[in-house]
Amino acid sequence: MITTEQRDKLRGWFAGRVPEDLFEELTELTVDREEITVIGRIPAPRLAEGASDAEREAAVQGRIQEFRERTRDARVEVAREAEHRFRRKVSWGVECGGERALFTHVAAPVMTRLRQPERQVLDTLMAGGVARSRSDALAWCVRLVQRHTDDWLTELRDSLEHVQRVRAQGPDTEPEDAAPEAPADDE
């Protein structure tokens, strides 16, 4: 979990470092322990008036693919710098014509121990064809919780951020820029 100030600094770094002509706007930047996801808006394709939904969808997908190929080198360069600087993988995505597409993203493994009633939930999702494996079923459950508890999770994240700020003011914390102390001779 990072603080709002850290997130703002991260967003500012990307806003300043991403080539100005890459996106119309940097719309979203999310971060967790493993990954930074950068999403920007690109122009929607111009279509003739009265274009069908199928034509519009194909044009948007074509625009996204063209953008992905054309900007690969610039995005890789920025990602390498950011990965070195922030010690997290960088993933990219775009918004175009009301659609969102992620180009790359980290799928981090998560270990957990489940009791039989919890495993039965996952097995039922598998038997019902909702998921191919327990792993897929668990990911499905997480997405379901995420979709229905955004307000609660936002409030929880805000509370955690407050706790981190208070901890950072404690007597045993060092300033971020402080150099680590040299070990004593007897260590």
Side-chain angles (χ1 to χ4, degrees):
M1 195 70 212
I2 66 170
T3 65
T4 300
E5 181 182 353
Q6 291 169 324
R7 184 176 294 111
D8 288 348
K9 286 180 179 179
L10 193 67
R11 186 175 174 87
W13 185 87
F14 274 94
R17 179 56 187 90
V18 169
E20 205 166 298
D21 61 344
L22 193 66
F23 299 126
E24 287 183 325
E25 175 186 9
L26 182 62
T27 59
E28 186 177 324
L29 191 132
T30 55
V31 63
D32 66 11
R33 288 187 292 188
E34 293 85 18
E35 177 179 29
I36 300 167
T37 303
V38 180
I39 299 177
R41 182 172 296 110
I42 62 173
R46 287 182 278 213
L47 298 170
E49 200 166 318
S52 69
D53 288 343
E55 182 179 353
R56 181 192 141 325
E57 184 179 332
V60 166
Q61 292 306 314
R63 174 61 52 88
I64 291 170
Q65 188 62 36
E66 182 276 333
F67 174 86
R68 182 178 187 182
E69 297 301 323
R70 177 175 46 84
T71 63
R72 180 172 277 122
D73 291 341
R75 290 183 292 107
V76 166
E77 183 180 333
V78 172
R80 281 190 183 133
E81 288 179 37
E83 288 168 3
H84 178 73
R85 181 181 184 112
F86 301 112
R87 305 276 188 248
R88 292 173 172 91
K89 287 299 202 183
V90 175
S91 300
W92 298 92
V94 294
E95 291 179 356
C96 180
E99 299 292 323
R100 178 178 276 205
L102 287 177
F103 300 152
T104 56
H105 52 281
V106 174
V110 178
M111 296 292 294
T112 186
R113 295 185 184 278
L114 300 176
R115 299 189 190 286
Q116 187 178 37
E118 297 157 335
R119 292 190 311 267
Q120 287 174 332
V121 169
L122 301 181
D123 292 343
T124 301
L125 292 171
M126 289 171 48
V130 173
R132 295 183 318 257
S133 65
R134 283 181 171 174
S135 177
D136 286 344
L138 187 56
W140 184 89
C141 290
V142 169
R143 287 190 303 273
L144 181 66
V145 169
Q146 180 185 19
R147 183 177 304 136
H148 294 290
T149 60
D150 280 342
D151 293 338
W152 180 79
L153 288 175
T154 299
E155 187 175 335
L156 181 60
R157 286 183 189 113
D158 291 345
S159 296
L160 288 171
E161 189 174 306
H162 178 72
V163 168
Q164 287 179 337
R165 281 195 307 269
V166 171
R167 280 185 186 151
Q169 296 170 3
D172 296 333
T173 59
E174 294 183 27
E176 285 183 25
D177 296 337
E181 291 183 24
D185 291 337
D186 60 336
E187 288 186 40

